[in-house]
Amino acid sequence: MTTERQWRVAVLGPGGVGGLIGALLARAGHRVTFLSGPETVRTVQEHGMHVRSGMLGEFTVKVEADTELREPVDLCLVTVKQNVLGAAVDRVPPAALGDGLVVPLLNGIEHPAVLRERYRPELVVPGVIRVASNRVAPGSIEHGSPFVEIDLASATTPPDQLDALAAMLNDAGIQAKTRGNESAMLWGKLFFLAPFALLTTHHQVPIGDLRTERRTELVDLVTEIATLSSAAGVPADVEAALRFYDAFPPEAKSSMQRDAEAGRPLELDAIGGALLRIAQQHAVPMPLTERLVTALTPLINGSTAESGR
Ligand SMILES: NC(=O)c1ccc[n+]([C@@H]2O[C@H](COP(=O)([O-])OP(=O)(O)OC[C@H]3O[C@@H](n4cnc5c(N)ncnc54)[C@H](OP(=O)(O)O)[C@@H]3O)[C@@H](O)[C@H]2O)c1
């Protein structure tokens, strides 16, 4: 399927993910408005969104930017981090959204429910993104990975709307696929991400050291989270996770670890906190996850407090 019409797109959070995807959609001819705080809005209005990417080239797109959504869109991408989600969605009043799809690309598993409380549930299409992309300055994005892949699945949205969305993204150069099971999609990402994020951040080592020097702890944590995933209805493959980590370049660091090193707030609650809350619902003991979350909690707000956005 291909898409010929121009979509009206809002991007809430013009960072590494939102800036890149929004710029690609604008380059493909869609009408994109970035939603953010006043400073970033001014920069983007003045200079556009600049992308530098080995895979996609270097380009600047002229786009709109505003502090709030003021007219209906076909699509609103939610690309802020979980720790600011509550404040950020104030910029997208449900009445202004119209019938637009709301597509969160955040890591974590609890945000779809939060969005379905605020917006009509049939509009919310959770996505999982695989990419490495950084916001190096407001309006300036560096994309490092040789891929930009998005999976989409929604327990509440008609499949033809997901297909149209995936087609539109593919036409813009983003590899997008629809998946049949939302819960399996979100758990699949969290299951691989959580052990990598929690252990590399806690021990301050890259994956190469983790999988050799601390392999027992890695296996124990993957096993603990696999048990929870199964209890939540999504069987998880411990060996597959370990093979995945073994294939990483040894110097690879998690984004949570990079955030900790830079003194930025951590998505600890979206990842470790969510696991502990779900474990409580299913009465699954999670001693290792609990210990890591407790140890990392002092870093959760970072040392460069972000405010006023
Ligand atoms: N980056 C990646 O490669 C990657 C890969 C996979 C998954 N993810 C996930 O994608 C999500 C987004 O990550 P990211 O790396 O794109 O984060 P990011 O680069 O820090 O971008 C977050 C954006 O949110 C904006 N923001 C903050 N508070 C806001 C508010 N109240 N209203 C509107 N906008 C606000 C920031 O604005 P300013 O520009 O003004 O600072 C920034 O542009 C996270 O859940 C992350 O785990 C990221």
Side-chain angles (χ1 to χ4, degrees), residues 165-229:
L165 172 60
M168 185 275 274
L169 294 170
N170 273 299
D171 285 350
I174 299 152
Q175 274 187 283
K177 290 201 171 90
T178 58
R179 301 283 176 199
N181 185 327
E182 174 183 323
S183 183
M185 178 188 77
L186 293 170
W187 267 108
K189 176 84 189 264
L190 187 62
F191 172 58
F192 287 105
L193 177 70
F196 176 45
L198 294 174
L199 286 173
T200 54
T201 310
H202 180 56
H203 293 300
Q204 301 174 28
V205 294
I207 189 71
D209 293 344
L210 187 68
R211 70 190 175 209
T212 50
E213 290 163 26
R214 297 182 181 272
R215 192 157 190 98
T216 307
E217 197 181 3
L218 176 64
V219 173
D220 287 350
L221 184 59
V222 172
T223 306
E224 186 173 288
I225 297 173
T227 304
L228 179 63
S229 181

Side-chain angles (χ1 to χ4, degrees), residues 14-17 40 79 81 91 106-107 131-133 135 267 309:
V17 168
T40 298
T79 50
K81 288 185 165 169
R91 301 190 189 282
L106 287 70
N107 280 325
V131 72
S133 183
R135 189 216 73 146
E267 287 189 298
R309 291 192 295 202

